[in-house]
Amino acid sequence: MYRKSSKGWTKHLDFIVLDMLSLQVSYFAAYMIRHGRVFPLDNRLYRDMIFVFGFAQVFVTLVNDSFKNVLKRGYYQEFTASVRHGGMIILLAVLYLFSTRESMEYSRLVVGVTGVLYVLLTWAVRALWKKFLARRGMDGRVERTLVLLTTRDMAPDLIRNFRKNNYGGLRLIGITLMEEAGKACYKGMEIDGVPVVADTASMADYVCQGWVDEVFISLPREVELPEALYDELIAMGVTVHLRLLRAMKSEGQKQSVEKLGNFTVLSSSINMAPAKQFLYKRLLDVLGGVVGCMITAVLYIFIAPAIYIQSPGPIFFSQERVGMNGRKFRIYKFRSMYMDAEERKKELMKQNKVKDGMMFKMDHDPRIIGGEHGIGGIIRRFSLDEFPQFWNVLKGDMSLVGTRPPTVEEWRKYDLHHRVRLATKPGITGMWQVSGRSRITDFEEVVKLDKKYIMEWSMGLDLRILCKTMGAVLRSDGAM
């Protein structure tokens, strides 16, 4: 997949929230120590400092990138990072008090004790949370999956090391063994409870048709690296970690040196971006998801009766789709087609404008409720059927901008290079939609545009696509 230059924004968000709670708890505790009361709400200056500390913390977190590599830091490194982070917050708070000329009315003891308590508390909370993430990774309750490519002799040590140092919260789902190339005897094998899922000849197909986020390659120096397989994994959008006993570079990838467990690895992906960019993207998704769900609720009042009158049945249509790196989820839409639309689709496949059945698109689709001028045609023309997907965005299954999620049937037809479309979260809109969806009938062109989006991704690109989408919807082009 395309990667952040540090660990995932979801883990950062956990630490940020815990850090905010630690700071506020420390502030209330310091106030109680000094004044004997728990809540500083009866004094305007102390009440205002609740918000000042909050804003200072957000500012320091973003500017200082305080949680970069947080999952890789040891106890001492974490303590020094906590001292540095807490010191900058206290400094900003003191500057605020001096700038407002209210410092003489404010207890210096409260400021000092807040700083000390915060450093100790946030250090302890971060350490405990990292232990929790490591344990959760061993129990399998994670959202990122990993496959090892190694030899039979090295596998047991790698598995033990991974389980002991899995602060990144990855779930080890399988092993590919070099010795089993071209053999079938690997099937049913397990090493320390981890199944052997493929050989080098079948690994690319396994990754293409399964849920695999990342691959870790660790081979002895005397074993030749399967370069063709390495290139195929990168081309599919999978993040590949190559243990730094060896390193290589192929075209169309970005690389960074990282830690995976206690191994130093060279991580390669088709794109990398600062973790802050992914945090901003998620915040935009949450904001857009909330607003979109509110609009969906209003639309439901008017659309639901119209759908039911012309086609009695459920108002919403749901379908299993394939998301980022092979995760399956249910997508939601306002139902714009008759109840037997999926069964009739098989009869209409010969009229599909997209060759090879990789997607389905046809003119004057007879399955639309009321035809092109009925309620189904109207909500599709203005993309109103897409609004329930804002719930998918809010849940985190989708993003506002991304690639369109394929159906399971379409996904099963993917060649290896098509899999790159799954290297990012699916979106309500995307680059190929605003590039003229109604005119593109070649699936390879869709893949090309989606890959271009992933390789060039930035928040600025997302905002440009959103602006183009809104313009297309207002013109009734149905860009979504």
Side-chain angles (χ1 to χ4, degrees), residues 369-411:
I369 299 174
E372 295 183 358
H373 301 291
I375 182 60
I378 292 172
I379 65 176
R380 288 170 68 88
R381 189 181 316 128
F382 290 95
S383 297
L384 301 180
D385 57 324
E386 309 282 353
F387 272 87
Q389 291 173 47
F390 283 105
W391 173 243
N392 290 114
V393 172
L394 197 57
K395 287 173 58 184
D397 296 327
M398 297 177 63
S399 179
L400 294 177
V401 183
T403 60
R404 288 302 289 166
T407 64
V408 175
E409 181 183 357
E410 293 166 350
W411 171 62

Side-chain angles (χ1 to χ4, degrees), residues 196-422:
V196 179
V197 296
D199 62 359
T200 51
S202 62
M203 184 180 185
D205 290 329
Y206 172 82
V207 171
C208 184
Q209 296 298 317
W211 170 11
V212 179
D213 292 303
E214 305 181 20
V215 172
F216 176 33
I217 301 176
S218 181
L219 298 171
R221 292 182 185 275
E222 63 272 14
V223 175
E224 185 177 355
L225 183 71
E227 297 185 15
L229 175 59
Y230 178 89
D231 290 339
E232 285 177 336
L233 294 171
I234 295 295
M236 285 190 287
V238 178
T239 295
V240 180
H241 305 287
L242 184 61
R243 189 176 175 188
L244 283 181
L245 294 170
R246 58 211 304 165
M248 63 180 296
K249 174 84 172 176
S250 65
E251 187 177 353
Q253 65 174 272
K254 296 183 180 180
Q255 298 180 323
S256 67
V257 176
E258 300 184 359
K259 293 286 286 186
L260 190 67
N262 65 349
F263 296 115
T264 301
V265 299
L266 183 69
S267 300
S268 303
S269 183
I270 61 175
N271 192 11
M272 293 185 179
K276 287 188 289 186
Q277 290 263 344
F278 287 85
L279 177 60
Y280 298 152
K281 182 177 177 68
R282 181 54 185 160
L283 291 175
L284 180 63
D285 285 344
V286 171
L287 177 61
V290 170
V291 174
C293 286
M294 294 171 63
I295 296 174
T296 302
V298 175
L299 290 173
Y300 182 88
I301 298 173
F302 302 96
I303 291 177
I307 292 175
Y308 191 82
I309 289 171
Q310 294 195 29
S311 177
I315 305 304
F316 295 106
F317 168 78
S318 71
Q319 186 182 49
E320 189 175 48
R321 296 289 183 97
V322 182
M324 185 172 176
N325 288 325
R327 297 173 177 84
K328 295 184 178 69
F329 70 98
R330 297 206 72 82
I331 196 172
Y332 298 95
K333 294 184 178 185
F334 281 123
R335 184 167 62 88
S336 62
M337 294 187 175
Y338 292 109
M339 295 293 295
D340 60 348
E342 287 301 304
E343 290 75 15
R344 295 172 64 185
K345 179 180 177 181
K346 299 175 183 178
E347 304 171 5
L348 299 169
M349 283 300 295
K350 58 185 178 181
Q351 300 180 49
N352 187 6
K353 296 171 63 178
V354 181
K355 62 181 181 179
D356 300 326
M358 303 303 294
M359 301 174 70
F360 184 81
K361 187 175 184 60
M362 67 172 291
D363 295 326
H364 311 297
D365 195 330
R367 301 172 300 160
I368 297 175
I369 299 174
E372 295 183 358
H373 301 291
I375 182 60
I378 292 172
I379 65 176
R380 288 170 68 88
R381 189 181 316 128
F382 290 95
S383 297
L384 301 180
D385 57 324
E386 309 282 353
F387 272 87
Q389 291 173 47
F390 283 105
W391 173 243
N392 290 114
V393 172
L394 197 57
K395 287 173 58 184
D397 296 327
M398 297 177 63
S399 179
L400 294 177
V401 183
T403 60
R404 288 302 289 166
T407 64
V408 175
E409 181 183 357
E410 293 166 350
W411 171 62
R412 286 172 178 160
K413 299 176 182 178
Y414 274 15
D415 291 332
L416 297 183
H417 71 283
H418 297 152
R419 203 263 188 194
V420 71
R421 301 186 68 235
L422 306 180

